[in-house]
Amino acid sequence: MISSKISVAALIAGAMTLGACTETGQFGAGPNDPNQRTKNGALIGAASGAVLGALTGDDGNRGDRALAGAILGGAAGAGIGYSLDQQEAELRRQMDSRVVITNTGDRLIVTLPQDITFATDSTAVQPSIQDDLRALAQNVQLYANSTLQIIGHTDSDGDAAYNQTLSEGRARAVAQVLYANGVPASRVQTYGRGESQPVASNLTPQGKQQNRRVEIVILPNAR
């Protein structure tokens, strides 16, 4: 039992150490490595698989199960990471450069600035962003094994309850454009966060501009 616990701990610690090394550029990886997200996905999957394997059952084979879980989890994580890399590259080619696309290794976050998506105090999606949302709809239909969370955010100007309602309406409005372009409603969840989750200070015009946004989070489903 003790040796199994040590094996599990060592495996998890090793995966975490490798993740830190790839982030800092050791072992041939780094911020500019085109395969970085794939490697990170493999490491995340391996660590998760090791933990799940170790926690399955209570006999003396936890170390073996942790190793098997790490192998399976690493392979799945690498596949997700690679797919997200490809999807990210395609979205960058297809969408307005002002749309921010963030790849965390286990999800994509597409951030639509309010200034190009909605007029002030409006929930009507502006014509200028419609082509980008159509491109996004086509993209997520090609990469169909994912769930979309559409989350509206505002700055802190005005009444908090009004901002909450506005953020919810904007999230739904973006979702409606995706539905109209073929994305099944069953894949989409909408949320409004109002002014509760700023990414910058609301004390400056620049900060408020960053906080007014809609985020589309693309979450790969477990295969």
Side-chain angles (χ1 to χ4, degrees):
M1 181 66 72
I2 293 175
S3 62
S4 294
K5 290 181 179 178
I6 293 173
S7 298
V8 172
L11 186 58
I12 296 171
M16 294 175 67
T17 300
L18 284 173
C21 288
T22 58
E23 288 293 341
T24 57
Q26 300 180 50
F27 304 132
N32 297 319
D33 185 346
N35 299 314
Q36 183 64 51
R37 295 293 186 266
T38 303
K39 294 174 182 176
N40 288 350
L43 291 167
I44 292 169
S48 300
V51 172
L52 291 174
L55 294 177
T56 303
D58 56 1
D59 55 37
N61 297 318
R62 288 185 176 180
D64 292 339
R65 286 197 304 274
L67 179 59
I71 293 171
L72 293 173
I80 289 173
Y82 177 79
S83 179
L84 286 176
D85 285 345
Q86 302 304 303
Q87 188 173 12
E88 175 194 5
E90 292 175 19
L91 284 172
R92 289 190 185 281
R93 289 194 296 268
Q94 295 164 345
M95 301 190 76
D96 190 300
S97 61
R98 291 172 292 180
V99 174
V100 178
I101 302 171
T102 305
N103 186 341
T104 68
D106 66 345
R107 69 193 62 194
L108 294 179
I109 304 172
V110 179
T111 303
L112 308 175
Q114 181 255 308
D115 293 352
I116 65 172
T117 312
F118 299 99
T120 302
D121 292 330
S122 174
T123 59
V125 178
Q126 297 199 95
S128 60
I129 200 72
Q130 294 278 350
D131 287 344
D132 296 285
L133 290 176
R134 277 191 286 271
L136 176 64
Q138 293 170 1
N139 178 279
V140 297
Q141 288 175 81
L142 290 174
Y143 294 86
N145 191 44
S146 62
T147 299
L148 279 63
Q149 295 181 348
I150 304 177
I151 309 169
H153 302 270
T154 72
D155 61 26
S156 62
D157 285 352
D159 180 72
Y162 174 81
N163 287 335
Q164 177 64 31
T165 300
L166 181 64
S167 68
E168 293 171 0
R170 286 178 169 174
R172 288 193 297 268
V174 169
Q176 288 296 328
V177 177
L178 298 183
Y179 300 153
N181 286 279
V183 178
S186 59
R187 291 181 59 193
V188 178
Q189 302 166 341
T190 63
Y191 304 93
R193 297 291 184 247
E195 60 189 63
S196 67
Q197 295 181 355
V199 293
S201 171
N202 277 307
L203 299 178
T204 67
Q206 296 81 4
K208 289 178 181 179
Q209 184 177 34
Q210 292 180 60
N211 293 332
R212 298 189 298 265
R213 68 201 191 277
V214 171
E215 295 173 335
I216 302 171
V217 182
I218 303 172
L219 292 163
N221 298 325
R223 295 183 184 275

